[in-house]
Amino acid sequence: MAAEIITVSHLSKTFSDGTPVLKDISFSVYEGKVLGIIGPSGSGKSTLLRCITRLTDVTGGSVTICGKPLVSNGVYADKSLLRTIGLQVGLVFQNFNLFPHFSVLQNITDAQVHVLHRNKDEAEETAMSLLKKMGLESKARNYPCELSGGQQQRVSIARALALKPQVLLFDEPTSALDPELTGEILAVIKGLAEEKMTMVVVTHEMAFARDLSDHIIFMDGGVIVEQGSPEAVISNPQKARTKEFLSRFSQY
């Protein structure tokens, strides 16, 4: 059986004003598999990814990544272990988050040099290889403002891959794009899935979630309402709330 790359157990998150946003979340992500997360806006999907990457601290529960405890019963690992674990997880944001004053090449090499301590030549070689893979080799000297939204998102994917994470998380990777640019990003993610990259993809693209994912989670109100295979959750949902949500997408 494939190894568990991410294990989330009874995770909870409550904001400082007392608002609960995640309630008793538990699931696993296995090596080489794709977990798709769907649900309405405000259901806690993005907060969940932020908890896994420690951009947001949890209130309770446990998260294990690549067999190492990020947080156990609400208590975080020491700084050294947190750094080690953090390097195993890459996150692609919905709004690209590229440095506007850096060229495309610099955006991809900066973390390699300053975080992984690679030399500049090695970092640039890795960056150019990834840009070629993304079909953007000719854009290495351009700045983000000179690229389309789809191109910027491909650069952000390359930047995440440059650190060689064990798992890649996508937070609504096409939500900031025009519909005509969405396809190119979905094609890149599909290609990564074919290469057996372990991924967690939060998406509002139902057909994509169904066709790409090995396992689907439907979230609403900070809880997992239903989870299972794409066929079970998207094509044949059992819970009334899941059926209601998917009814907005006429093809289902």
Side-chain angles (χ1 to χ4, degrees):
M1 186 175 179
E4 290 188 28
I5 300 298
I6 297 177
T7 306
V8 175
S9 301
H10 305 294
L11 185 69
S12 64
K13 171 63 181 178
T14 301
F15 288 146
S16 57
D17 64 359
T19 303
V21 62
L22 295 174
K23 311 167 192 172
D24 198 24
I25 301 291
S26 296
F27 64 88
S28 296
V29 183
Y30 293 91
E31 185 176 15
K33 302 297 183 181
V34 179
L35 171 66
I37 303 180
I38 61 173
S41 297
S43 60
K45 307 184 302 297
S46 293
T47 301
L48 176 57
L49 295 192
R50 291 178 65 86
C51 287
I52 293 171
T53 54
R54 220 200 152 205
L55 291 174
T56 295
D57 285 344
V58 307
T59 304
S62 303
V63 178
T64 301
I65 297 174
C66 297
K68 298 179 177 66
L70 175 76
V71 55
S72 299
N73 297 318
V75 179
Y76 281 92
D78 62 56
K79 288 184 178 180
S80 176
L81 185 53
L82 287 176
R83 183 183 183 280
T84 298
I85 294 170
L87 292 173
Q88 304 301 312
V89 184
L91 176 60
V92 178
F93 299 89
Q94 54 185 300
N95 292 316
F96 323 136
N97 280 28
L98 299 174
F99 295 116
H101 58 293
F102 279 3
S103 69
V104 165
L105 187 63
Q106 287 173 302
N107 264 285
I108 301 173
T109 58
D110 184 67
Q112 294 185 66
V113 172
H114 292 100
V115 177
L116 296 186
H117 306 296
R118 290 177 183 158
N119 65 57
K120 184 179 178 181
D121 288 344
E122 181 185 3
E124 289 190 352
E125 182 179 350
T126 296
M128 291 306 298
S129 175
L130 287 166
L131 285 173
K132 184 175 182 179
K133 182 175 183 176
M134 298 292 160
L136 294 172
E137 195 172 13
S138 66
K139 302 293 185 181
R141 304 298 173 183
N142 289 80
Y143 286 83
C145 65
E146 299 173 308
L147 306 182
S148 70
Q151 290 171 330
Q152 290 185 61
Q153 190 62 294
R154 278 184 279 161
V155 172
S156 68
I157 294 171
R159 180 179 60 183
L161 289 170
L163 299 182
K164 300 189 182 302
Q166 293 298 305
V167 58
L168 202 51
L169 312 183
F170 292 86
D171 186 10
E172 298 278 13
T174 62
S175 65
L177 302 178
D178 294 332
E180 63 183 11
L181 298 176
T182 294
E184 66 186 62
I185 301 305
L186 299 184
V188 168
I189 299 173
K190 184 177 180 181
L192 293 173
E194 290 170 352
E195 295 172 7
K196 297 301 180 182
M197 181 74 197
T198 308
M199 294 185 285
V200 178
V201 183
V202 170
T203 183
H204 60 276
E205 302 283 346
M206 291 303 109
F208 180 66
R210 180 194 61 196
D211 297 341
L212 177 81
S213 305
D214 297 289
H215 193 80
I216 292 279
I217 284 174
F218 170 63
M219 291 182 65
D220 187 39
V223 302
I224 295 176
V225 176
E226 189 165 355
Q227 64 175 309
S229 69
E231 294 76 17
V233 176
I234 294 183
S235 302
N236 188 33
Q238 301 301 302
K239 302 291 186 179
R241 182 65 186 98
T242 316
K243 293 177 181 178
E244 179 188 7
F245 173 76
L246 291 171
S247 70
R248 305 171 191 175
F249 305 90
S250 57
Q251 63 268 46
Y252 304 108

